[in-house]
Amino acid sequence: MITVAGYNVDEGLEYDPDYNLWVERRGAGVVRVGYDPLGAETVGDIVAVALAVPGQALVRGSALATIEAAKFVGPLPAPVAGNVRVVNESLARNPGAINSDPFGSWIAEIDGVTDDALSHLIAGAEAIRSWFSAAAERFRLQGVIAE
Amino acid sequence: MAQATLRVIDAGAVGAERSQALWHGLADAMGQADAPVLSFCRPAEPYVGIGYHRRLDELDCGACARLGLPILRRQIGGGPVYLDSNQLFFQLTLPAASAPAGVLRLYGELLGPAVQALRALGVDAALAGVNDIVAGGRKVSGTGAGQIGDAVTVVGNVMFAFDHERMSEVLAFPDEAMRADFLRLLRENLGTLPDLDAAALKQSLVSAYAEALGREPVWDAPRADELGAIKRWEERLRDLTWLEGPALAATPGRQVKVRAGTWLYDGESEGLHVRVRVQEGLIAEAQVTAPWLNGAAAGLARALVGVAARPHSVAASMDRFEHEGERVLAALAPGLVVR
């Protein structure tokens, strides 16, 4: 873990900069996905998650799940194209784990992921530090997260 | 340069399905470059609405059928609500890319104008919690929000009158005592604004949202593509699979929220039963029962009263009771997550 802007960030993972999701490569064409700490904080206190069905085809941005926080329901966008391989069923019973332990709370695994589909992800400690720091600053300036 | 516009669509009094399909459809049809839309309607008939992630077993579906109340599932959050013609619905829909980031900021910025609109009419309104609008210490407007297609919509109702008893009838409770508690709390905490004129309220909302968004209001009607989307949503709302909702894990116990910070919870763990009334975030009343507890139950219940309804606070209050305290915490924990 590295500490960036007061957050612990796993530099061994890759990150979708638009959706604040982490992506872990888990073998040929398979990735595991979850919210990064900024995503988990800005989405609000999650009280419900309805996960996609295994086998469902995804394009980047399509809903991997719907989540609810403070009576707001929205899609959790897929960071990469592929097919839903498996979902973390335990989150349906304990959705708040995403807020309290974002790196421990994987949401789904996606297979059939091509290398091209991963090319937009941010990887490597220095790149992660630079992007995450700027993202946290942007959220702070917007008043989305506390100073 | 022409000022950007805020489209205003007033659908008037409409059927139950249209009162939901209207804003779902407007959101679904919205493009990223479209102007925001402020829409209004009043349901011409009573019905029950239920949030996207709620199970139908929170409702007494038999009672709804007996009372002739359709049940409609919305694609935004929150719990079951009784809706009728004594309420004005307002909805602000805008492209998702231009919506405020972060759910707290979203509500603050997009419900603030509704509060201002009420204040302009002499109502001492304020935003309470994350997204309740209150006046005189009582909730007068329920709200919710969601992303539908490429749009974000924030919805609210203003209650001119409210049938508290009917609301308590349509919900499922483990027993009639809890229903009676709920009805009493509902009467205490849910207020109405009977003196407001609906037309004046709409005009005040238009002015407040136009000013907040820096846009010129333009009264309009749905476009053809919006009407198509509204009709598709009417079909979806009638669909039994949609009504059933997404596959959700059963929630332990029974929690019924009245307003921000105020709810009832009834739960059980390993034969130990706990019922609490939470008001303003504090446990105001508690009952603990288990066949083996005898006189110890009263002590456990007393230790809960006055404690903040948060897991660590309840855990601290139960610490000295060791194993029985752990059982109370296990029974109560699901009721400390406010949905």
Side-chain angles (χ1 to χ4, degrees):
Chain A
M1 290 280 182
I2 54 176
T3 301
V4 187
Y7 294 86
N8 289 327
V9 183
D10 188 335
E11 77 277 26
L13 302 174
E14 297 173 58
Y15 294 87
D16 185 303
D18 297 327
Y19 302 140
N20 282 107
L21 295 165
W22 57 258
V23 175
E24 180 187 23
R25 301 192 194 215
R26 294 178 67 84
V30 178
V31 300
R32 184 174 272 192
V33 173
Y35 265 121
D36 73 31
L38 277 177
E41 181 171 339
T42 56
V43 77
D45 292 340
I46 299 172
V47 297
V49 178
L51 298 156
V53 178
Q56 182 180 324
L58 300 165
V59 297
R60 179 170 183 257
S62 62
L64 191 54
T66 56
I67 58 173
E68 179 170 343
K71 296 204 282 185
F72 182 95
V73 169
L76 189 159
V80 295
N83 298 296
V84 178
R85 181 170 182 267
V86 63
V87 294
N88 184 354
E89 299 281 1
S90 73
L91 294 178
R93 294 184 299 279
N94 184 22
I98 295 172
N99 298 115
S100 59
D101 183 15
F103 287 118
S105 301
W106 64 278
I107 292 162
E109 287 185 2
I110 302 171
D111 61 17
V113 180
T114 64
D115 286 345
D116 277 357
L118 299 164
S119 61
H120 68 290
L121 300 177
I122 292 173
E126 282 316 302
I128 291 168
R129 187 185 298 277
S130 172
W131 156 72
F132 196 94
S133 174
E137 180 64 12
R138 190 178 71 249
F139 281 129
R140 286 199 171 108
L141 289 172
Q142 291 175 339
V144 180
I145 60 176
E147 290 292 330
Chain B
M1 197 169 102
Q3 190 178 4
T5 59
L6 167 66
R7 290 176 67 215
V8 180
I9 294 175
D10 183 1
V14 293
E17 285 168 4
R18 179 58 64 101
S19 72
Q20 294 287 314
L22 171 72
W23 47 273
H24 283 87
L26 290 172
D28 228 349
M30 183 166 275
Q32 289 293 353
D34 282 351
V37 177
L38 178 62
S39 59
F40 299 106
C41 63
R42 285 178 84 158
E45 56 195 344
Y47 67 99
V48 174
I50 187 165
Y52 185 72
H53 287 114
R54 294 303 187 90
R55 290 163 57 95
L56 279 179
D57 59 16
E58 291 191 42
L59 290 170
D60 184 339
C61 293
C64 292
R66 276 196 307 280
L67 295 164
L69 299 172
I71 302 170
L72 301 178
R73 184 179 295 278
R74 58 189 184 267
Q75 198 178 314
I76 60 169
V81 286
Y82 171 75
L83 303 161
D84 68 15
S85 61
N86 288 312
Q87 301 168 32
L88 173 72
F89 295 178
F90 65 92
Q91 300 84 209
L92 182 75
T93 306
L94 70 171
S98 58
V103 68
L104 301 182
R105 189 165 155 253
L106 179 100
Y107 280 121
E109 291 191 16
L110 300 186
L111 288 179
V115 170
Q116 290 307 317
L118 288 168
R119 293 180 74 86
L121 296 173
V123 178
D124 187 21
L127 203 55
V130 175
N131 53 5
D132 276 354
I133 298 176
V134 299
R138 301 164 91 193
K139 177 176 173 176
V140 294
S141 171
T143 68
Q147 182 174 341
I148 299 170
D150 289 329
V152 161
T153 192
V154 176
V155 313
N157 65 346
V158 175
M159 294 176 278
F160 304 113
F162 191 73
D163 192 336
H164 300 85
E165 191 155 11
R166 186 54 49 93
M167 172 78 194
S168 73
E169 283 179 286
V170 302
L171 299 183
F173 292 94
D175 54 50
E176 291 307 305
M178 190 171 179
R179 189 187 307 278
D181 279 351
F182 174 74
L183 178 56
R184 183 178 56 76
L185 276 182
L186 202 59
R187 286 184 169 134
E188 287 173 6
N189 287 278
L190 210 63
T192 57
L193 299 169
D195 297 330
L196 275 190
D197 175 72
L201 175 58
K202 276 189 263 193
Q203 190 55 57
S204 190
L205 284 163
V206 170
S207 299
Y209 276 103
E211 184 178 342
L213 298 173
R215 288 171 175 267
E216 183 70 24
V218 176
W219 293 79
D220 203 357
R223 302 182 307 245
D225 63 315
E226 291 171 332
L227 276 174
I230 290 166
K231 286 176 180 164
R232 283 194 298 279
W233 267 98
E234 285 180 326
E235 288 170 19
R236 181 177 289 183
L237 293 169
R238 280 193 289 270
D239 183 277
L240 292 180
T241 305
W242 173 263
L243 175 62
E244 194 59 37
L248 298 168
T251 310
R254 180 72 175 109
Q255 182 189 61
V256 192
K257 188 177 162 192
V258 177
R259 55 172 284 194
T262 298
W263 69 92
L264 298 172
Y265 180 72
D266 180 273
E268 182 269 341
S269 177
E270 295 180 26
L272 185 146
H273 185 239
V274 179
R275 180 171 293 185
V276 294
R277 170 166 50 90
V278 177
Q279 289 186 261
E280 307 295 340
L282 299 175
I283 297 175
E285 186 178 354
Q287 295 172 354
V288 179
T289 53
W292 63 87
L293 279 175
N294 299 320
L300 285 161
R302 272 197 306 275
L304 288 171
V305 173
V307 172
R310 296 171 182 275
H312 64 273
S313 302
V314 172
S317 75
M318 290 290 102
D319 199 36
R320 64 192 162 96
F321 295 98
E322 299 181 343
H323 183 57
E324 298 306 345
E326 289 171 13
R327 283 182 168 177
V328 170
L329 184 60
L332 190 50
L336 303 176
V337 178
V338 188
R339 304 187 71 213

